[in-house]
Each structure stands twice: as C-alpha cells, then as structure tokens.
Amino acid sequence: MNKTIYRIMGIIVTFVLTLGGFSKVEAVSIQPAASNKPVYAYYYLWWSTKHWQDTLGPNYPYNVSPLPLPAKTDADGCNPVSNYAGNQLLDVPTRLVSQDEPGAIEEDIRLAKNAGLTGFWLNWSGDGTTSQTRTSVSYTRRLAEAFAASTRMGGFKNWVSYKAASLQPANEIINDLNFLYKEFNGETAWERIDGKPVVTFTGSRKYSNADVQKISNAVRDRIYLVGDETRATLTTTRMAMFDAITYYWSTQDPYGNPDSFEQIKEMGDKVRAAGKRWYAPLNPGYNSVLLKTGSCIPRKNGETLRAVWNGNLASNPDGWGFISWNEIAENSHIKPMQKWGNRYLDVLSSLIGSAQQPVTGTFDDKNGAFDYSSSAWQDQSTDKAYGGSYKETTRSGSFVILAFSGQSFSIIYKGGVTYGKMKVYVDDVLVHTLDQKLSTTTYQKRWDYSDQLSSGNHTLRLVFDPVSATINKGSLDAVIIR
C-alpha cells in the first residue's frame, strides 16, 4: 500500500471520528502514516551475567532449559505477577546471553538492521576520570564491540547515548566525552551530522542551565550534541546549548494522556522554529510495576506503537528514537525474546517499511533509500548520467542495499573498459552477475531483471567484484522499480 493511500485513509479516519464525536486516536486502529526519516533504538550495554541475575533475583531457576518466563501478565502486558520472589523482569530469552559473549551484540545489530532500523543509540558512560582507558569500565569494552560489529555488518550507524542516570558532575561528564571522542572518533559506524559524531546527553533535562552550558562549551566544537529535554525544560536558552533535541519519553501513554501528541508536536514546532533538528520518541508500551513504580501502558498487540508513530508524526521529526531495544526491566523493549517473540519488532519494521520502501519509479543514486556500505562509494558528477550523477567504487566487496516494494527492477550504470562485475542479490539470493566491462565508455547502460517477484517487500543488494588490478571499477547510476 503506497503513501497516498495511507494519507487518504488517515483523512477518512479523521472524518469518521469527527462525525462520531471522537478526537482521540485510541478509538480506532489506523494504517501507519508515512515517514521516510531514520529510526534508531536505545541500546543498553549493561546485560552481563551479573545484571541478568540481579534483575531475575536469587530464586529464579537458572539451570532450566529453556528458561521459564519470570512473570505472568495479561494479554496487553499489564497486571504483572512475578513467579519468583525478587524478580523484576517479564521476559527472558531461552538462555541468558551476556553481551560479553562473542557475537551477542552483533546478533542484535543483525536483527535490528534486517528490520530496517538505521542504527542504535548506544547507552554509555565512562568512569569520569581523565585517566580512563578502554578497559576501565565494561561499558567501554562493549561500546567498542558495538562499533566494530556495526562496521562488520555494514550500513548500520550509531549515536552514543550518554547515560547521566547517576547525575554525575559536569566535570566528570566532560572527562567522559573527551575520552569518548579521543578513543572512538575514527569509528565509521559512529554517525556524523554536520561532520561531527553524534552524542545524545540522555538526562540533560535534570541538569541546571549552568551545568549544561559548561558541558556544551567544552565539547560542541567537535561533538554534535543532542539534548534530552521535556516540554517544561525546553526553553530558548536551553535549545541554544544543543545542536538538536529529543525527549526520552518511555511512558508516553496514548490512552491515559491522549493530549501527548499535541505535547510532542509543541516540542517539535519549538525545536524546528529554532533551526534545530528534532527527534521524536517511540514506545511499544511500558510496565515498571515489578520495579515498584506501579505504572503500565498496555502494548495492545502493536496498537500502542502504531498510535504513537501516527500521533508523533505530526511533530515533523527529523528522525525517531525508539524506546527501547533492550530496556527489559521497564518492558519497553523490542528485542525478540520469549514473551513477545518478534511481534513488536515486526510491527516497527512494517511501520518503517511502509514509510521508506520505494514503490515504483526511478531512484537516482543519491536517493536516501539507498544504503551504501562505506565512503568507498564516491559521487561522480556528469550531465551524461541519470540525474546528473552516479556512484563509483574501486573497493572489492563494496555494496549498496535498496529495500523496495515491487515485482521487478532494472539497474542503470556506467560501463567501460576498466569496469568489473557487480553481483546482484534479491532477498539474499544471487540472481545475476552484472558485467559492467564494455568496449567503450557508456552512460545510462541498462540491465533488466527478467523474472517477476512476488508482491510485497524485497531487498536488492549489489556487491562489487573487481576482475583485476586494472578492471577495478564498479558503478551505480539509478534503479528502476516496477
């Protein structure tokens, strides 16, 4: 279903609700509204064996295989009853996996990337000193692995979500951010905006203007600093201290607080009016009752996530911060485990897919739907190419991915005597090896995929395979989806 149909359905739903005297989105389930903005998820680096045991408590049967669910809830994820004294969790995997195990973090990245997420917001803090190293705290070791695994996977870009939960002093935060920049600035999987690596100061709303200004002055010359603010703290003075704004609102409740969408829109409007970027929150539900805070927002089989997506879209976000991949104790997680399985990751993936997948038409090499593996793909400008440009690489194994909804496609490329081969994969199946070597330089050369795909979503992946040291170029000009 394309974006136009989604918009029409949204208008119809709004009209029907108005006639019926309703004004709140929870009255009806609607199709996802369209948005082609990046989607990130908060990713916590604290899941060691000890942390699992601290949250599950001493009475949980760790030796049972597969592990039993630690608590019961109703179908919507509320009204929890723990099965074991001292337990705080509702969900577990079939076996407890420490993030220190080889491949554990990479598996999370693989699942998230395949679902269409742009990257993680890696929740991290150091030890606050000027002498810390990569081995000073376990968080730093896991952060390094998250960057490395993202690079291995390719096409997965992360921010650092600086964790200020302990309200550490401003000087310690500055020490941590200085260390972070010095140690990890070269990581290609640390996303950059305006040329600077991105850090979200998660919890900035809890600090005074003086402290935030001190931190901002110390790091913004080289770090793109995103504030985590609320409606109450989002002043003009505050916004000037940051490059962008988000709001970690894990408890946004579309049922108990249907005005929350207007509240988010108010924040987005203020941020954008100040010339800053705005990143809206997303959550699938919430349950912290076993943490003794007594709050639950029902998941409703994905309706809550859909409602928050559609409602917060009115704030015109530059991107989304999903809460969360693995904040399991607060039950805002989307990581596939036993209780919910893949259900909520699939819902988020469908929302992303409805917004970002090209339907039909010609997509130029600079279209944001393309996911290039690295900067090895270089822009080449010429009026002989489609749209006035094409991409070129000389690095073996360079790839580009395009998620789309259609039944066939064509590839437009530049060929010539120095051009090698491009392996063409559809849904991870090799369907063709495209030889771009031609006797003369040729622009807008076209290759057509002759088979017909099933209706629905697909993934096209092109992987460059040079033939020799002199036949060593690969190109992409455009892709036609039909």
Side-chain angles (χ1 to χ4, degrees):
M1 189 176 293
N2 63 32
K3 296 180 182 179
T4 301
I5 294 175
Y6 287 140
R7 293 189 184 103
I8 292 171
M9 290 185 69
I11 293 169
I12 292 171
V13 168
T14 301
F15 179 67
V16 171
L17 289 176
T18 302
L19 288 179
F22 298 100
S23 62
K24 309 306 183 188
V25 297
E26 74 272 20
V28 67
S29 171
I30 65 176
Q31 292 288 344
S35 169
N36 59 355
K37 305 302 182 181
V39 179
Y40 307 86
Y42 284 90
Y43 186 83
Y44 293 91
L45 295 167
W46 55 43
W47 289 103
S48 64
T49 299
K50 182 179 185 304
H51 190 70
W52 281 113
Q53 294 174 348
D54 287 345
T55 51
L56 287 167
N59 299 301
Y60 185 76
Y62 295 98
N63 294 325
V64 175
S65 180
L67 293 170
L69 286 175
K72 300 181 181 71
T73 68
D74 61 25
D76 290 333
C78 288
N79 300 308
V81 177
S82 178
N83 295 327
Y84 307 98
N87 162 61
Q88 300 174 344
L89 302 184
L90 305 181
D91 201 0
V92 290
T94 55
R95 76 173 185 89
L96 301 183
V97 177
S98 166
Q99 288 173 320
D100 294 321
E101 291 184 26
I105 292 175
E106 184 169 329
E107 174 64 10
D108 285 337
I109 291 169
R110 184 188 66 79
L111 289 171
K113 184 174 184 288
N114 287 346
L117 275 76
T118 305
F120 284 147
W121 289 356
L122 301 165
N123 194 248
W124 171 87
S125 63
D127 67 8
T129 70
T130 58
S131 58
Q132 63 188 295
T133 68
R134 290 196 179 207
T135 59
S136 296
V137 293
S138 57
Y139 277 19
T140 304
R141 182 176 65 250
R142 295 171 196 147
L143 178 72
E145 169 56 19
F147 281 138
S150 297
T151 300
R152 292 194 297 269
M153 290 293 296
F156 199 76
K157 297 294 186 180
N158 306 286
W159 297 10
V160 174
S161 164
Y162 183 80
K163 182 167 73 81
S166 61
L167 294 180
Q168 50 268 55
N171 284 339
E172 293 186 9
I173 294 174
I174 293 169
N175 289 342
D176 279 353
L177 295 182
N178 284 338
F179 165 78
L180 180 72
Y181 182 85
K182 178 175 67 72
E183 286 294 318
F184 295 103
N185 180 48
E187 293 287 348
T188 58
W190 189 0
E191 186 163 25
R192 283 161 172 74
I193 298 179
D194 297 342
K196 296 185 287 187
V198 186
V199 172
T200 300
F201 182 1
T202 305
S204 65
R205 63 183 103 158
K206 301 174 184 179
Y207 284 78
S208 68
N209 280 353
D211 279 342
V212 173
Q213 189 67 70
K214 183 176 183 180
I215 295 165
S216 176
N217 290 344
V219 304
R220 274 182 69 198
D221 64 321
R222 59 198 184 282
I223 287 175
Y224 189 91
L225 192 63
V226 181
D228 165 31
E229 300 293 319
T230 68
R231 289 168 63 228
T233 65
L234 190 63
T235 63
T236 301
T237 299
R238 200 76 161 184
M239 282 191 287
M241 302 175 189
F242 297 106
D243 298 294
I245 297 292
T246 190
Y247 178 15
Y248 188 98
W249 199 5
S250 58
T251 57
Q252 184 179 359
D253 185 352
Y255 315 108
N257 179 18
D259 292 331
S260 68
F261 302 134
E262 279 300 316
Q263 294 162 3
I264 287 292
K265 184 178 184 301
E266 176 188 327
M267 290 187 69
D269 289 347
K270 287 177 68 174
V271 172
R272 297 181 71 83
K276 310 280 184 173
R277 290 180 175 92
W278 159 248
Y279 294 86
L282 280 172
N283 69 296
Y286 181 88
N287 190 337
S288 64
V289 173
L290 296 185
L291 297 178
K292 310 304 181 185
T293 59
S295 173
C296 185
I297 299 164
R299 288 186 173 231
K300 293 197 173 186
N301 200 35
E303 291 306 300
T304 299
L305 175 52
R306 293 189 187 95
V308 174
W309 172 281
N310 285 301
N312 288 357
L313 189 63
S315 70
N316 193 22
D318 292 283
W320 301 88
F322 186 88
I323 307 167
S324 62
W325 182 263
N326 59 348
E327 221 306 11
I328 302 164
E330 291 185 350
N331 195 37
S332 65
H333 64 286
I334 201 170
K335 175 183 169 73
M337 294 191 293
Q338 290 193 74
K339 184 174 180 61
W340 306 117
N342 291 327
R343 173 59 184 160
Y344 293 91
L345 184 58
D346 288 345
V347 172
L348 180 59
S349 182
S350 70
L351 292 169
I352 296 170
S354 69
Q356 293 184 341
Q357 286 178 338
V359 181
T360 58
T362 303
F363 297 86
D364 182 60
D365 66 287
K366 291 186 176 179
N367 192 291
F370 287 109
D371 184 3
Y372 293 96
S373 58
S374 73
S375 59
W377 289 95
Q378 295 292 306
D379 292 328
Q380 306 293 330
S381 298
T382 173
D383 57 8
K384 296 179 181 179
Y386 178 86
S389 70
Y390 65 97
K391 289 284 195 303
E392 188 172 271
T393 183
T394 57
R395 181 182 295 176
S396 177
S398 292
F399 62 86
V400 56
I401 296 172
L402 177 67
F404 68 95
S405 181
Q407 292 187 278
S408 193
F409 61 91
S410 299
I411 298 170
I412 309 298
Y413 62 96
K414 177 190 175 185
V417 295
T418 59
Y419 284 79
K421 297 180 179 181
M422 196 72 69
K423 294 185 180 298
V424 182
Y425 294 83
V426 176
D427 300 331
D428 291 326
V429 176
L430 179 65
V431 298
H432 184 69
T433 298
L434 177 59
D435 192 346
Q436 297 185 336
K437 188 175 187 299
L438 302 172
S439 58
T440 59
T441 298
T442 306
Y443 291 91
Q444 298 194 51
K445 181 70 173 176
R446 173 169 168 161
W447 173 79
D448 297 314
Y449 178 67
S450 58
D451 291 342
Q452 187 172 44
L453 302 169
S454 60
S455 297
N457 299 327
H458 300 283
T459 301
L460 171 66
R461 180 163 56 99
L462 308 179
V463 182
F464 176 54
D465 183 16
V467 174
S468 67
T470 57
I471 305 175
N472 63 346
K473 294 179 182 177
S475 73
L476 174 66
D477 193 349
V479 171
I480 301 171
I481 302 298
R482 56 187 184 276

